Structure formats: C-alpha cells, structure tokens
Amino acid sequence: MVVTALRGAIGFLTRLRVGHSEAAWTAFRGSPWAFPLAGYVVGALLAAPFVFADHFPAGTVTLAYLAAVFAVTGINHLDGVADVGDALVVHGDSDERTRVLKDTTVGVGAVAAVALAVAGLALGAFGVARLPTRAALAVVVAAEVGAKLGMASVACLGTAAHEGLGSQFTERAGRSDLLPAVLVALPAVVLSWPTPAAAGALVGAFLAGFVVLWRLQALLDGVNGDVFGAVNEVGRVVGLHLGVVAWTLS
C-alpha cells in the first residue's frame, strides 16, 4: 500500500517514469501522507546541484537547481500559479474569479505571479548555495517536504469548488488525515541538526502553503488543481528563504 501510494504520488508530482497505473492513482488519492513522503524523494533529486556548491559559483548552482526543478517536476504546478495570478487581479465575486481561473488566456496577473515565483525561487536557491553543503541539502529537502505537506493540507482541509482534479483528493480526505501527513514530514526537521535550518524550511513552506490555501479557498469559494499547484510553488519558495534565514540567525 505504501509503495503503491508513493508511486502514485511521484507519478502525479513529477515527470519521472514510474508508471501510471489506476491502482497507484487510487491509493495516492486516499493517502495524503504520500504527498510529504514523495517530497523526500523529489527534494533529494533537486538537492543534487548543491553537492557541488563548493566547486562552482553560487549563480551557476542556482541555475542548475532551477533546471532541476523544471526537469523533475515539470511546469504543471507553475501553471497553477499563473492561473491563480490572473484570478487574483479580477474585481468580482468568486464566480468571476473562477471563470478567469479556467480561461486559457494569459493575463498580466499570470505574468506577474510567475515572474515573482521564479525570481523568488532563484534568489532563495542563491542563498542556499552559499550555505555549508549539509545545511544546503537539508534546506532543499525540507522545503520540498514542507511544500508537499501544504498540498496535503489542501486535500484534507479544502473543499472542492467543482468536480475535477481537486475534488478527487478532497472527497477522499478529511481533517484527521492531516495528522499522518504531519508525522511523515516531521523527521525532515533533524536533517540539519543542530542548526534549525531544516526546521525553518519545513515550517515556512507548510505555513506559506496553508496561508495560500486559506486565502484562495475564500476568494474562489473552494479549491481546485490550480490551488494545489500554487500551494506547492509558494511553499517551496518560502521554505528556501526561511531555511536560509534560520541558518543565518542560528
């Protein structure tokens, strides 16, 4: 069950060729804890460029990290940021925002949101590249786990605005299912022990995602696949920055 759900999570969250069976997809949808569990795998892959941070300029490592993010995870979640960006700049009720959210036209809100997300990711990665290698690896993994825990919170606490990708998770998960996801994510805080860098990254990513969920659920009168994507991307960015801040202040 664990392996099947994890395979479904990795197949959904990344571009890795792990197979897309109906059994894995079904197991994943009913297992919110698989989100942060997959975060460890994704985070380890994305952390690879920082292994060489002592041998290359921070800017080069940052570029390699950005390339790894989009090579491993694709741009589906970033597309959620774009759609949410357009919806946020609309002056209207939740129905009007949802209509814009589904519109395939790219507006200024989408451009601004994606630009801010990518810039924030690059600047966060630049800061991580200047950390000691162990701390850098810990921050990247913990930020990814925290971002995925944020996605689990969408599944457990969100209410789907309509039938679709979001409802396939929210209809199968309840508030009590968030606790196992938190327990799966907690070990990430010790990755940088005795410094609090990993804890800062994990908590920062999760809280950022939770705030995004809370705000978007109110504005859109529910959640959908774009909200999952936005929570993931914002969580990763904030997690990297707060991980660096936590290490700096320690």
Side-chain angles (χ1 to χ4, degrees):
M1 175 63 177
V2 173
V3 174
T4 303
L6 177 60
R7 186 158 60 87
I10 293 175
F12 175 73
L13 296 168
T14 75
R15 301 176 70 242
L16 301 178
R17 297 180 179 276
V18 295
H20 297 278
S21 69
E22 184 63 29
W25 174 240
T26 300
F28 170 46
R29 284 182 295 162
S31 308
W33 50 262
F35 278 104
L37 186 60
Y40 288 98
V41 178
V42 178
L45 294 174
L46 300 186
F50 296 96
V51 173
F52 308 99
D54 291 338
H55 306 288
F56 293 95
T60 302
V61 176
T62 297
L63 181 61
Y65 170 75
L66 291 178
V69 167
F70 297 121
V72 172
T73 68
I75 63 171
N76 288 338
H77 302 310
L78 193 62
D79 180 66
V81 173
D83 290 339
V84 166
D86 272 340
L88 288 178
V89 299
V90 171
H91 296 289
D93 58 16
S94 60
D95 290 337
E96 179 63 16
R97 293 180 188 276
T98 300
R99 184 190 66 78
V100 172
L101 193 74
K102 297 178 180 180
D103 194 339
T104 57
T105 302
V106 176
V108 65
V111 174
V114 170
L116 185 60
V118 175
L121 189 63
L123 291 171
F126 186 83
V128 173
R130 300 170 69 88
L131 300 181
T133 300
R134 180 167 172 260
L137 299 178
V139 167
V140 173
V141 174
E144 205 64 35
V145 173
K148 301 305 182 282
L149 181 58
M151 297 181 82
S153 73
V154 179
C156 296
L157 306 178
T159 301
H162 52 77
E163 290 294 324
L165 179 61
S167 66
Q168 294 193 51
F169 290 99
T170 59
E171 290 178 355
R172 290 172 173 264
R175 294 178 181 273
S176 62
D177 292 312
L178 185 58
L179 179 58
V182 171
L183 294 178
V184 168
L186 278 179
V189 304
V190 304
L191 293 176
S192 64
W193 184 265
T195 73
L202 177 70
V203 174
F206 171 65
L207 290 181
F210 185 81
V211 170
V212 172
L213 164 62
W214 168 74
R215 185 58 178 159
L216 291 182
Q217 173 131 308
L219 288 175
L220 302 174
D221 198 26
V223 303
N224 62 6
D226 289 324
V227 175
F228 277 90
V231 164
N232 181 70
E233 297 302 306
V234 173
R236 179 190 292 128
V237 170
V238 174
L240 292 181
H241 282 273
L242 289 192
V244 173
V245 170
W247 185 87
T248 302
L249 296 179
S250 64

